[in-house]
Amino acid sequence: MSVRQTGPLRVAVLASGRGSNLQAVIDAIEAKVIQAEIVAVISNKKDALALERARKHGLPHLFVDPKPFAGRPDSREAYDRVLLDVLEQRRVELVLLAGYMKIVTSLLVNAYVNRMMNIHPSLLPSFPGLEVQKKAIDWGCKVTGCTVHFVTEGVDEGPIILQAAVPILDHDTPETLAARILEQEHKIFPRAVQLFAEGRLKVDGRRVLIEDGQPVGQAIISAS
Ligand code: GRF
């Protein structure tokens, strides 16, 4: 992992929707639990609540419209080129995908190796992709959860940083389960950012070791 400059960690958040995970990170920064500043909130959706949350907290935010790129053979790369320019201009050190519903291309992934995190509402590698709370219920799982991982080119495949386990109850619907998982997301996402800001995450192949912390085997935070 590259040696950080001094000063608060410069973070960008990419979000497409509600932005509750963005809010959890904002709250942790404002509470001074994380020594970081959010220097850009970027959305591919004009009306994303995430942008409104950024505005309320006085954070720089922008909507980057994907429409002008549609139809081009390199539409996804061209879009990510715009994002990368913004990230580089703002000297972003860590990128957070917080409900960002667009697959990032190798252009962004390669620029932010082990410096881009995603939050996903299952215990990866089980249930990558979409509608994963429903899939976990339908499969008959008794436990699911959420995962923060570094982003690689494979969707939901990168090295796992933190996970939290969440029970699945008999009466659960995808909505009730999603809400229970979300509570844990709001804990482990800021925690992962904090560990990164403290320079305590070491990537060793697929494993992410937490320096001066709990042994890796205990990196799963229980829901209780
Ligand atoms: C979360 O469940 C996250 O795990 C997934 O998308 C959802 C985003 O929620 N990637 P929010 O926009 O952060 O409220």
Side-chain angles (χ1 to χ4, degrees), residues 2 4-5 8-14 36-42 60 62 82-97 108 111-117 196:
S2 57
R4 286 206 48 238
Q5 295 167 6
L9 178 74
R10 297 177 68 81
V11 176
V13 182
L14 276 49
E37 60 178 317
I38 296 177
V39 296
V41 174
I42 306 174
L62 70 153
V82 174
L83 297 199
L84 187 55
D85 286 348
V86 174
L87 299 177
E88 286 178 345
Q89 274 162 21
R90 300 193 185 181
R91 292 180 288 115
V92 169
E93 298 170 286
L94 176 68
V95 179
L96 303 179
L97 307 185
L108 272 189
Y112 280 91
V113 174
N114 296 337
R115 299 192 303 146
M116 187 185 301
M117 293 179 184
F196 185 97

Side-chain angles (χ1 to χ4, degrees), residues 98-166:
Y100 183 59
M101 302 303 286
K102 205 169 187 307
I103 295 172
V104 290
T105 66
S106 56
L107 187 75
L108 272 189
V109 172
N110 292 337
Y112 280 91
V113 174
N114 296 337
R115 299 192 303 146
M116 187 185 301
M117 293 179 184
N118 181 45
I119 176 88
H120 181 78
S122 78
L123 288 178
L124 292 170
S126 290
F127 307 117
L130 299 173
E131 296 187 11
V132 295
Q133 298 90 345
K134 179 176 187 309
K135 285 175 186 162
I137 293 171
D138 290 350
W139 195 259
C141 297
K142 302 297 184 191
V143 176
T144 183
C146 48
T147 303
V148 183
H149 64 93
F150 283 120
V151 176
T152 54
E153 283 195 53
V155 175
D156 300 329
E157 275 185 15
I160 291 169
I161 302 166
L162 288 177
Q163 292 183 306
V166 173

